[in-house]
Each structure stands twice: as structure tokens, then as C-alpha cells.
């Protein structure tokens, strides 16, 4: 029987190194690896092919996912899951590694309950918002993309004595914005997890500008939906010319960092070993307190990811 890999939901850097490690690792362990192209949609449409060394040559440094991804609504309907199951049977595949977020894990969990296909989920999303793991694949590369963009925007803001508002992705989670604000030396950080006070923030910034501050960097998480409000406040209340940069999908691409390449290799080897040694069980590999471990999908679904308090503390001075 073979093992297949698929990538689902928002892509991230680190997926290609994971795909390469998957193929190499499976061959080392004497198992036939398969690709499921186009995520859950491809599983339904039988976009499944055996994978070879040559398929993954030269992809280590590339962002995105060479087997592509999708967000599938059809997979939540039984008739399409049945079709997907029949496709896997046709290819003699009874185990799947899925790289994605908790929505993708939930979909495969239902698939496991319906047809007994075993899977291991690898948390992969730039949002870093999956309960039970400290780290999701792709986050380090996304943070470095944001750092690079913010450093560049800061250069031009300083030339013009302007404020810049940098909006980061992250869905409802402020992790990317928080870490970026701390590591880029921002003056303001607006995230869903921290209450901010525009009155006291405004007073602080005005005082700093009067004392010679030449520019302001303000990082805002998309989850607050407050980017425009912050721009308006900086211009009208603080009184500084302001430009907004919505970083958007640039954060999802780029060459995977060394850390993401290494994490990809480790996540994959744990996932494949789990599938080879467990006949009838599924799990998610998580990275917790610098250790890899396996947890159930029910556990991943049982809570909401919380940014650790120590990190939030570091940014408290950026909200008042
Ligand atoms: O979940 C990853 C993510 O990039 C979020 O940060 C963002 O809100 C969303 O996906 C964007 O999705 P799409 O690529 O479908 O526009």
C-alpha cells in the first residue's frame, strides 16, 4: 500500500521542502509515495500520481507548493468523499499526509471516520493559529518576508517624516503582527489579542514627534479590520502624513528559510513514521515546547490558539 501527500488551504513556504523530504523519506523506507494534486479538490477528481525523485529535484528553495492547493467545499459532502475514497482505493493508498490548517484536518478526520483512511496532519499556515502547536510550518518565512518589507517601508517613511501602517495577514490571529512589531522595532502594534488606547497612544506619539522622532511604524493585524481607522487617526489626531501598505499575499510566498526547511524535514519524518507504525489511527504532529509529539484531531479542535503571555507582555508598551 502507498502513502500520499497533499497540501490544502492557504499555501506557505516550507511545503515544497516537505514534499521533497516526503518522497525521499518514503523511498528510503521502501514505501511508494504518491502526490494528490490540487488539495481536497484533486482527491475528489482523482488528480493522484505516483511520485518520483525527479519530480522533487530542485524544489527545496521554492515557495508555494508544487502539488498545488485548494479550499474545497465539495469535500464536506458525503458523495464527494466517497468518490475520493474510491480514487484512493484504485491507487492502493490507505495513508495520507496532509499539510494545512485545522479546517483541512477536520475534513480528513471526517474522511477517516467514513472510510478508515489514516492520516497525519502537519500544521502548515502562516497564521500560526492552530491549537496545540507552538509552531506551524511557513511562519518563519512569512515573518522574514514581513521584516524585509517593513524595513524597506521604514526607509522611505524616514525620508519623508511619515508614518507607515503595515497590515499583516493572520486571519483572526495577531501572531504575525505581534512578532513583526517587536522584531521590526514598531512604535504601535494593533492586534485582536491586545486592547489598545488611541488617546494615550496619540499623546505618546505626539510627545515623541515633538522630541525629534522622524517617522512612525505601526503594524496592524488584518484580524482587527482597523487599518483604515488607524491611518485616519494618525493623520487627523496625531497629525502626521501617513501611508498604508497592505502586505497581502507577498507574505505567503518567498524562498523557505533554513528554519522552515528543517521543520519541514522533521515534521515529515515524524508523520511518515507514525503512519508506518499505526494501522488504524490518525493524528496531528505538533511542535510543543521544542519537542515533536502527536495529538488527536479532537484535541486540536478542543481549544483556540492563544499567543503566549510573555510575547503579549513584550508588546504591551506598543498599545498605550
Ligand atoms: O490562512 C492563510 C491566509 O493567508 C490568511 O492569513 C488570509 O486571511 C487568508 O489566508 C487569505 O486567503 P486567500 O488566499 O484565499 O485570499
Amino acid at each position: 500500500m502507498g502513502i500520499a501527500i497533499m497540501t490544502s488551504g492557504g499555501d506557505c513556504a516550507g511545503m515544497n521542502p516537505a514534499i521533497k523530504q516526503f518522497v525521499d523519506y518514503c523511498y528510503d523506507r521502501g514505501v511508494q509515495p504518491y502526490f494528490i494534486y490540487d488539495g481536497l479538490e484533486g482527491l475528489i477528481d482523482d488528480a493522484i500520481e505516483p511520485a518520483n525523485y525527479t519530480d522533487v529535484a530542485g524544489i527545496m528553495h521554492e515557495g508555494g507548493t508544487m502539488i498545488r492547493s485548494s479550499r474545497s467545499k465539495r469535500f464536506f459532502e458525503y458523495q464527494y468523499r466517497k468518490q475520493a475514497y474510491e480514487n484512493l482505493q484504485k491507487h492502493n493508498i490507505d495513508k495520507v499526509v496532509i499539510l494545512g490548517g485545522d479546517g483541512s484536518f477536520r475534513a480528513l478526520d471526517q474522511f477517516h471516520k467514513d472510510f478508515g483512511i489514516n492520516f497525519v496532519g502537519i500544521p502548515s499556515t502562516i497564521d500560526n493559529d492552530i491549537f496545540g502547536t507552538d509552531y506551524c510550518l511557513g511562519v518563519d518565512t512569512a515573518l522574514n518576508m514581513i521584516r524585509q518589507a517593513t524595513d524597506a517601508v521604514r526607509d522611505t517613511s524616514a525620508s519623508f517624516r511619515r508614518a507607515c501602517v503595515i497590515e499583516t495577514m493572520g486571519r483572526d490571529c495577531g501572531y504575525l503582527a505581534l512578532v513583526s512589531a517587536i522584531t521590526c522595532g514598531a512604535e504601535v502594534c494593533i492586534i485582536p489579542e491586545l486592547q489598545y488606547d488611541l488617546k494615550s497612544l496619540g499623546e505618546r506619539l505626539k510627545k515623541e514627534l515633538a522630541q525629534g522622532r522622524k517617522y512612525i511604524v505601526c503594524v496592524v493585524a488584518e484580524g482587527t479590520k482597523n487599518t483604515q481607522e488607524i491611518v485616519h487617526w494618525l493623520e487627523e489626531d496625531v497629525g502626521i502624513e501617513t501611508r498604508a501598505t497592505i502586505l497581502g499575499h507577498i507574505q505567503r510566498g518567498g524562498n523557505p528559510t533554513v528554519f522552515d526547511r528543517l521543520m519541514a524535514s522533521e515534521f515529515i519524518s515524524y508523520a511518515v513514521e507514525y503512519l508506518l507504525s499505526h494501522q488504524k489511527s490518525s493524528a496531528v504532529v505538533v511542535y510543543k515546547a521544542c519537542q515533536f509529539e502527536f495529538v488527536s484531531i479532537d484535541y486540536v479542535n478542543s481549544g483556540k490558539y492563544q499567543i503566549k503571555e510573555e510575547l503579549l507582555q513584550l508588546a504591551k508598551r506598543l498599545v498605550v
Side-chain angles (χ1 to χ4, degrees):
M1 298 294 271
I3 305 186
I5 189 167
M6 65 193 296
T7 49
S8 176
D11 62 333
C12 64
M15 284 180 165
N16 274 332
I19 292 164
K20 176 167 167 50
Q21 170 73 355
F22 172 76
V23 172
D24 293 348
Y25 199 88
C26 282
Y27 276 117
D28 283 352
R29 297 290 273 113
V31 200
Q32 174 64 51
Y34 286 84
F35 288 152
I36 300 169
Y37 288 92
D38 301 316
L40 295 168
E41 286 290 294
L43 187 52
I44 296 168
D45 294 333
D46 195 19
I48 302 172
E49 282 173 26
N52 218 314
Y53 286 121
T54 49
D55 296 323
V56 293
I59 66 164
M60 197 66 173
H61 62 294
E62 288 179 355
T65 159
M66 67 156 286
I67 53 175
R68 300 184 297 275
S69 188
S70 62
R71 301 192 196 275
S72 175
K73 289 206 170 76
R74 288 193 296 166
F75 203 78
F76 289 89
E77 291 178 44
Y78 180 81
Q79 53 164 325
Y80 292 112
R81 289 200 298 278
K82 185 159 177 290
Q83 196 171 309
Y85 171 63
E86 287 161 3
N87 293 335
L88 288 180
Q89 278 208 310
K90 197 165 74 191
H91 295 278
N92 258 327
I93 296 166
D94 65 347
K95 299 170 171 45
V96 176
V97 175
I98 180 164
L99 281 79
D102 48 4
S104 309
F105 301 160
R106 261 195 300 277
L108 271 216
D109 189 45
Q110 188 54 53
F111 197 46
H112 171 72
K113 284 175 182 141
D114 292 338
F115 305 105
I117 294 289
N118 297 329
F119 78 92
V120 171
I122 296 180
S124 310
T125 164
I126 66 165
D127 301 343
N128 212 39
D129 61 349
I130 299 181
F131 179 72
T133 188
D134 293 340
Y135 189 75
C136 298
L137 194 65
V139 171
D140 188 57
T141 307
L143 286 171
N144 276 287
M145 293 300 290
I146 298 169
R147 192 243 331 126
Q148 197 178 354
T150 306
D151 288 350
V153 174
R154 179 201 286 104
D155 290 344
T156 167
S157 300
S159 305
F160 279 85
R161 290 180 177 266
R162 282 175 178 162
C164 60
V165 174
I166 309 277
E167 184 190 281
T168 64
M169 278 189 169
R171 222 176 270 277
D172 299 325
C173 177
Y175 184 86
L176 287 179
L178 173 71
V179 175
S180 301
I182 296 167
T183 55
C184 295
E187 281 67 49
V188 180
C189 170
I190 307 290
I191 59 173
E193 293 82 352
L194 286 176
Q195 275 220 319
Y196 57 90
D197 179 351
L198 289 188
K199 194 164 174 294
S200 64
L201 260 175
E203 280 161 18
R204 165 163 70 84
L205 293 176
K206 278 189 219 166
K207 203 159 113 202
E208 289 178 10
L209 288 168
Q211 288 169 350
R213 169 171 294 293
K214 300 206 171 32
Y215 62 90
I216 295 167
V217 177
C218 181
V219 182
V220 181
E222 68 170 354
T224 63
K225 297 189 172 59
N226 279 347
T227 304
Q228 285 318 316
E229 183 204 0
I230 298 299
V231 171
H232 184 78
W233 162 74
L234 282 163
E235 293 233 314
E236 300 303 320
D237 292 13
V238 182
I240 181 168
E241 192 180 19
T242 305
R243 296 285 186 271
T245 304
I246 317 287
L247 292 181
H249 288 79
I250 195 171
Q251 298 160 92
R252 286 236 299 260
N255 307 132
T257 57
V258 168
F259 187 66
D260 272 325
R261 296 180 198 198
L262 183 63
M263 290 300 280
S265 292
E266 295 202 78
F267 269 128
I268 285 290
S269 52
Y270 276 90
V272 174
E273 283 306 327
Y274 182 94
L275 288 172
L276 292 179
S277 58
H278 291 75
Q279 285 314 311
K280 294 234 169 309
S281 127
S282 290
V284 178
V285 200
V286 296
Y287 188 68
K288 193 85 197 152
C290 300
Q291 300 282 337
F292 289 91
E293 52 186 83
F294 297 97
V295 296
S296 69
I297 181 74
D298 287 343
Y299 178 72
V300 168
N301 288 335
S302 69
K304 185 176 180 310
Y305 173 81
Q306 308 280 352
I307 299 176
K308 64 176 181 180
E309 191 49 38
E310 293 89 326
L311 267 187
L312 289 171
Q313 281 298 336
L314 287 177
K316 288 235 161 111
R317 65 180 185 82
L318 305 179
V319 291
V320 288

